Amino acid sequence: MCVTQPKLWTELQAGIECLTQLLALLEAMSLTKTETDEAAELHEAAVLLQQQLVYNGQVLDAALDGLRVYKDGTQSLAFLRSSVHLTYALMRMLEKWAKTTGEGSYVRKRAKPKKKRTARGACKVFFFFSCPLG
């Protein structure tokens, strides 16, 4: 008898909303003026965390997967709304981060499938010798 675990959509939605709030906090921290040492530390920490989010890519993948897995009738509209807000916040953060760093944009390439190698001994080698006539 196979017992399947129920999907934890409510918990996933709560996690998505927490991540959205974290992104809003990072945005507020990055907008702080660097007049005092404490404000400069907040700004530096926000920039570093944003950089880690961009280069790691797992948060971006999770946000897009949240949109991809939505099925009408299985998840609520609140789940879809939370996923859209998270994706929008991430895209806005990426846009602002790219403008402030000025490093251009980077696109991850999908890994190419490896070519199948021929088995040892299955490789045919032909040798041609030329003989002078005469």
Side-chain angles (χ1 to χ4, degrees), residues 25-82:
L25 177 66
L26 283 176
E27 183 179 353
M29 287 171 58
S30 68
L31 295 176
T32 57
K33 296 181 180 178
T34 57
E35 295 173 354
T36 64
D37 289 339
E38 291 175 358
E41 287 179 14
L42 279 177
H43 179 76
E44 185 179 332
V47 169
L48 181 65
L49 286 171
Q50 286 176 343
Q51 180 181 2
Q52 292 297 319
L53 285 173
V54 169
Y55 284 115
N56 188 351
Q58 290 179 344
V59 175
L60 296 171
D61 292 340
L64 295 175
D65 285 342
L67 291 174
R68 195 175 298 128
V69 300
Y70 176 76
K71 292 180 184 167
D72 193 23
T74 305
Q75 294 94 358
S76 65
L77 286 177
F79 176 81
L80 179 62
R81 188 178 305 116
S82 298

Side-chain angles (χ1 to χ4, degrees), residues 52-119:
Q52 292 297 319
L53 285 173
V54 169
Y55 284 115
N56 188 351
Q58 290 179 344
V59 175
L60 296 171
D61 292 340
L64 295 175
D65 285 342
L67 291 174
R68 195 175 298 128
V69 300
Y70 176 76
K71 292 180 184 167
D72 193 23
T74 305
Q75 294 94 358
S76 65
L77 286 177
F79 176 81
L80 179 62
R81 188 178 305 116
S82 298
S83 297
V84 168
H85 283 297
L86 174 63
T87 305
Y88 177 74
L90 276 169
M91 295 302 134
R92 193 175 63 214
M93 182 200 74
L94 278 172
E95 184 180 24
K96 288 181 180 182
W97 183 80
K99 285 180 182 178
T100 58
T101 58
E103 295 178 8
S105 60
Y106 298 95
V107 177
R108 279 189 305 171
K109 290 185 177 180
R110 293 186 185 257
K112 293 182 181 178
K114 295 183 178 182
K115 294 181 181 178
K116 291 183 180 180
R117 300 175 113 188
T118 58

Side-chain angles (χ1 to χ4, degrees), residues 2-4 7 17 23 34 36 40 44 69 86 102 120 129:
C2 180
V3 178
T4 59
K7 299 289 183 185
E17 290 173 358
L23 290 174
T34 57
T36 64
E44 185 179 332
V69 300
L86 174 63
R120 290 187 179 206
F129 297 101

